[in-house]
Amino acid sequence: MANEIYIPISNPIKWMQVDPAELPQYLTKHFDDYWQKEQLRDWETQVYYKQKWQTSDAVYEQFESNFAAIQLDVLDCSGTSLLTLPATQVRENIYLSGYYVYELTLSWAAFDPGTYYLKLTLGDGTTIMISEPQEVAEQWPNTILFEYSNSTFHGDVVYETGIQFGLRCEAFINRLDPGNERTAYRDQKQNPTTLKSVPYRVWNLEIGQFMGIPDWVIDKLNWVWSCDNVLCDGKSFAVNEGAKFEEQEVDKVYPFRMLKLEIQEGVNRYSKIVNPELNPNKKLIAAGLIDST
């Protein structure tokens, strides 16, 4: 059996092959195979995006493969390896026979602010994948850390291991748009009476600010909001029913875009709960796992 590795799109890092196979008759730089800067057209504004991280953040990655000895290297801009992390085999993938789940955790706490690259290598040092540039700072104002997980297997990710991904992106939660689920009654004279009313809050999540974000980050965010547990800077939110990404093109020759998405608080509480020993903004999820082995 040939060596294979599955890299779910839900991972926060976008990975590309170092030297993808190219045929001279094909000129398209396909989305999953090339860096964002290589996909720019000649007539587009030549802008490049660096993925944002704070030194307080950590990168969590999960892969499935039928071979071992996978490791991650952190590179500086000169290509020098600053850190090597071996992937940990977590469990067998019961959904894909012969494949095992591997996970990596990279903390940015020990790194100085600056630009870095990540690469995946085999045990013999062969580089198989390289990342988009990663920009680390002590703080990135006007960004949100999206933490996301799912209660069951989803998008080729075995969430049953307990993994929770994190993706930082230029975004902010904008003005309140209040909602109300109301049941009313009108008598024969059309006098209205409210029988039941449940207020809730809807917010506009503004993504990309004024500079916009590239398509690959939009793709990641689409997977983020496909999960059933999403935290925006520690507070639970979900997409409002019927809502979808509304895109705003900055300029026809500018490759980045801004987005807007209606989101609702994940826990619609009727009171503000103050408890120093408990975070009332997080959902509680109970899950059962039965494994015959």
Side-chain angles (χ1 to χ4, degrees):
M1 184 189 299
N3 288 341
E4 272 189 335
I5 181 170
Y6 282 68
I7 305 176
I9 299 172
S10 296
N11 281 298
I13 303 297
K14 184 190 175 188
W15 297 99
M16 291 79 60
Q17 288 179 268
V18 176
D19 293 309
E22 294 182 330
L23 297 175
Q25 66 268 37
Y26 300 141
L27 303 179
T28 301
K29 304 291 187 183
H30 286 293
F31 184 77
D32 290 314
D33 302 326
Y34 292 88
W35 282 344
Q36 172 262 318
K37 65 180 182 181
E38 295 179 302
Q39 297 174 17
L40 294 172
R41 283 81 170 181
D42 294 340
W43 63 85
E44 289 184 313
T45 307
Q46 301 298 298
V47 290
Y48 311 123
Y49 183 83
K50 296 180 180 180
Q51 189 166 6
K52 308 297 187 296
W53 298 103
Q54 293 186 171
T55 51
S56 56
D57 295 335
V59 179
Y60 301 95
E61 293 279 304
Q62 186 187 98
F63 318 105
E64 292 94 47
S65 77
N66 59 355
F67 62 94
I70 304 171
Q71 61 187 31
L72 178 144
D73 280 83
V74 182
L75 311 177
D76 62 17
C77 290
S78 67
T80 303
S81 178
L82 305 177
L83 178 68
T84 300
L85 292 173
T88 302
Q89 186 183 109
V90 180
R91 57 174 289 177
E92 185 177 5
N93 188 341
I94 61 175
Y95 305 101
L96 199 59
S97 178
Y99 288 73
Y100 291 83
V101 179
Y102 294 87
E103 292 183 351
L104 285 159
T105 301
L106 168 65
S107 171
W108 291 111
F111 290 86
D112 295 326
T115 302
Y116 301 92
Y117 291 85
L118 306 179
K119 72 173 182 178
L120 289 179
T121 61
L122 304 179
D124 60 3
T126 303
T127 301
I128 53 174
M129 307 297 286
I130 191 81
S131 76
E132 292 278 357
Q134 313 292 307
E135 186 74 10
V136 179
E138 290 187 5
Q139 259 196 351
W140 279 113
N142 302 316
T143 63
I144 289 177
L145 179 63
F146 297 97
E147 297 167 288
Y148 53 104
S149 61
N150 208 65
S151 54
T152 58
F153 179 81
H154 172 61
D156 283 346
V157 178
V158 184
Y159 285 103
E160 289 88 340
T161 67
I163 193 168
Q164 182 184 56
F165 296 118
L167 174 71
R168 181 170 294 279
C169 178
E170 296 87 340
F172 63 94
I173 298 173
N174 208 347
R175 293 179 175 86
L176 171 69
D177 182 13
N180 203 308
E181 189 70 33
R182 182 179 287 108
T183 302
Y185 166 76
R186 291 179 180 268
D187 60 20
Q188 291 181 342
K189 293 185 177 181
Q190 295 300 304
N191 297 315
T193 302
T194 297
L195 300 179
K196 182 181 179 182
S197 178
V198 181
Y200 59 91
R201 299 166 174 172
V202 176
W203 307 88
N204 283 316
L205 177 65
E206 306 282 348
I207 306 168
Q209 299 174 18
F210 300 107
M211 298 301 294
I213 54 176
D215 284 356
W216 73 263
V217 180
I218 296 174
D219 188 46
K220 296 285 185 188
L221 287 170
N222 193 35
W223 279 97
V224 167
W225 289 104
S226 74
C227 293
D228 59 18
N229 184 36
V230 181
L231 304 178
C232 299
D233 277 346
K235 185 167 185 175
S236 175
F237 286 91
V239 177
N240 192 30
E241 186 177 1
K244 63 180 183 178
F245 287 110
E246 297 179 25
E247 300 182 3
Q248 179 181 348
E249 198 171 53
V250 180
D251 189 89
K252 290 187 180 298
V253 298
Y254 189 72
F256 298 168
R257 291 173 290 167
M258 296 184 292
L259 301 174
K260 183 170 70 172
L261 181 67
E262 288 185 350
I263 58 175
Q264 184 179 342
E265 291 173 321
V267 181
N268 188 33
R269 297 195 183 278
Y270 302 157
S271 301
K272 180 175 177 61
I273 301 174
V274 181
N275 185 336
E277 298 178 358
L278 176 69
N279 183 354
N281 295 321
K282 290 187 178 181
K283 290 188 199 177
L284 295 179
I285 296 180
L289 177 63
I290 301 174
D291 191 332
S292 61
T293 60

